[in-house]
């Protein structure tokens, strides 16, 4: 009980921006009960947010040793391994997290990154498709990486479709700007012409709360599931082009 109470107070400290106090309380929570896997995991999340990768990884590994079914710790450790350039070690951890519906989107997204870094383009494509189906919020980022995959495979038409959609959905984001840059490359190698593009997706959000532990303060949500059909369509006609326009 002491460990849980200290962890809750640490969360509140982090929410108000007092990271030093938050870390002190997480350390106290782990000291109060070294076998509290959730407290160790929560401290790891706090370490990761402060870019302390080695310390965060040690906490996630300990949390999984204490509680092997803690899928959130497997996801976080898998993400760290991808960021460290160790995709082979990341894959089994991400596969564990993928089995949890609430984590499947992020797990598949980072599986896609891991496979892209290993030049497994077919595997990366499949993972990014799963990620965008599992989590609609990942749609623009997954579309961007799907465009990168198709570009590397030499499928210019498919790559262009993904990049145009990203540019339409999220023009002011990093992936939107990178998509525009890719489109300039693709269009520079093509003559004038016509493009049409479109997509249809069924999106569902169960409103599952992603919290590191039960009973801690979290965002207010409706507790209602939401669904929608999303349709994106568009086209481009280039009537004229020269060297400067």
């Amino acid at each position: 009980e002491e460990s849980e109470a200290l962890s809750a107070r640490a969360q509140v400290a982090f929410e108000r921006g007092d990271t030093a106090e938050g870390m002190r309380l997480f350390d106290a929570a782990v000291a109060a009960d070294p076998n509290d896997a959730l407290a160790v995991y929560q401290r790891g999340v706090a370490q990761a947010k402060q870019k302390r990768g080695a310390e965060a990884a040690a906490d996630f590994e300990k949390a999984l040793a204490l509680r092997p079914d803690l899928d959130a710790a497997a996801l976080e450790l898998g993400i760290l391994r991808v960021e460290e350039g160790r995709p082979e070690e990341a894959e089994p951890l991400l596969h564990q997290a993928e089995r949890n519906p609430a984590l499947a989107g992020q797990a598949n997204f980072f599986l896609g990154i891991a496979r892209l870094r290993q030049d497994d383009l077919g595997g990366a494509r499949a993972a990014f498709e799963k990620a965008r189906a599992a989590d609609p919020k990942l749609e623009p980022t997954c579309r961007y990486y799907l465009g990168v995959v198709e570009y590397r495979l030499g499928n210019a038409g498919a790559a262009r479709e993904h990049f145009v959609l990203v540019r339409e959905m999220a023009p002011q984001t990093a992936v939107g700007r990178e998509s525009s840059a890719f489109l300039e490359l693709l269009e520079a190698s093509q003559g004038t012409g016509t493009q049409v593009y479109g997509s249809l997706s069924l999106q569902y959000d169960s409103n599952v709360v992603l919290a590191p532990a039960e009973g801690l303060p979290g965002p207010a949500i409706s507790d209602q599931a939401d669904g929608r059909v999303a349709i994106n369509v568009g086209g481009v006609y280039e009537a004229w082009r020269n060297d400067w326009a």
Side-chain angles (χ1 to χ4, degrees), residues 1-115:
E1 292 178 2
E2 182 183 359
S3 177
E4 291 177 7
L6 287 165
S7 294
R9 288 169 55 197
Q11 293 276 354
V12 173
F14 270 98
E15 287 175 7
R16 68 169 184 261
D18 191 346
T19 57
E21 176 67 2
M23 286 306 307
R24 187 190 69 78
L25 289 166
F26 273 135
D27 288 339
V30 174
D33 184 359
N35 294 319
D36 185 345
L38 288 174
V40 176
Y41 160 70
Q42 291 166 345
R43 186 175 68 175
V45 172
Q47 303 271 26
K49 287 180 178 178
Q50 296 177 75
K51 307 301 182 184
R52 300 174 182 173
E55 294 88 342
D59 276 343
F60 295 141
E61 288 172 347
K62 182 179 178 182
L64 285 167
L66 292 167
R67 187 172 145 185
D69 65 343
L70 190 53
D71 297 332
L75 173 64
E76 295 288 353
L77 184 56
I79 292 172
L80 279 177
R81 294 296 183 238
V82 171
E83 292 175 346
E84 292 167 353
R86 298 156 68 180
E88 300 87 352
E89 297 177 35
E91 290 218 11
L93 295 161
L94 296 171
H95 279 302
Q96 174 181 336
E98 180 188 11
R99 297 194 296 265
N100 186 323
L103 307 176
Q106 286 192 62
N108 275 293
F109 175 76
F110 282 97
L111 276 169
I113 298 294
R115 289 170 180 169

Side-chain angles (χ1 to χ4, degrees), residues 202-214:
L202 304 176
Q203 302 177 347
Y204 177 75
D205 175 16
S206 65
N207 265 340
V208 175
V209 180
L210 297 183
E214 295 82 359

Side-chain angles (χ1 to χ4, degrees), residues 93-178:
L93 295 161
L94 296 171
H95 279 302
Q96 174 181 336
E98 180 188 11
R99 297 194 296 265
N100 186 323
L103 307 176
Q106 286 192 62
N108 275 293
F109 175 76
F110 282 97
L111 276 169
I113 298 294
R115 289 170 180 169
L116 193 59
R117 291 182 177 179
Q118 296 175 87
D119 292 322
D120 177 7
L121 299 180
R125 177 200 280 152
F128 289 131
E129 288 288 2
K130 285 183 180 180
R132 76 184 189 90
D135 187 347
K137 295 188 293 294
L138 294 173
E139 176 81 11
T141 309
C142 287
R143 282 278 189 178
Y144 167 75
Y145 278 104
L146 284 166
V148 172
V149 168
E150 298 297 347
Y151 182 83
R152 289 181 58 180
L153 286 169
N155 301 327
R160 182 180 293 107
E161 179 179 342
H162 288 302
F163 290 138
V164 169
L165 282 168
V166 176
R167 187 176 63 183
E168 294 294 320
M169 289 186 288
Q172 302 304 317
T173 65
V175 292
R177 292 189 290 271
E178 287 296 316

Side-chain angles (χ1 to χ4, degrees), residues 44 63-64 77 100 102 136 158 187 189 200 216:
L64 285 167
L77 184 56
N100 186 323
E187 290 167 5
S189 63
L200 170 67
L216 295 182

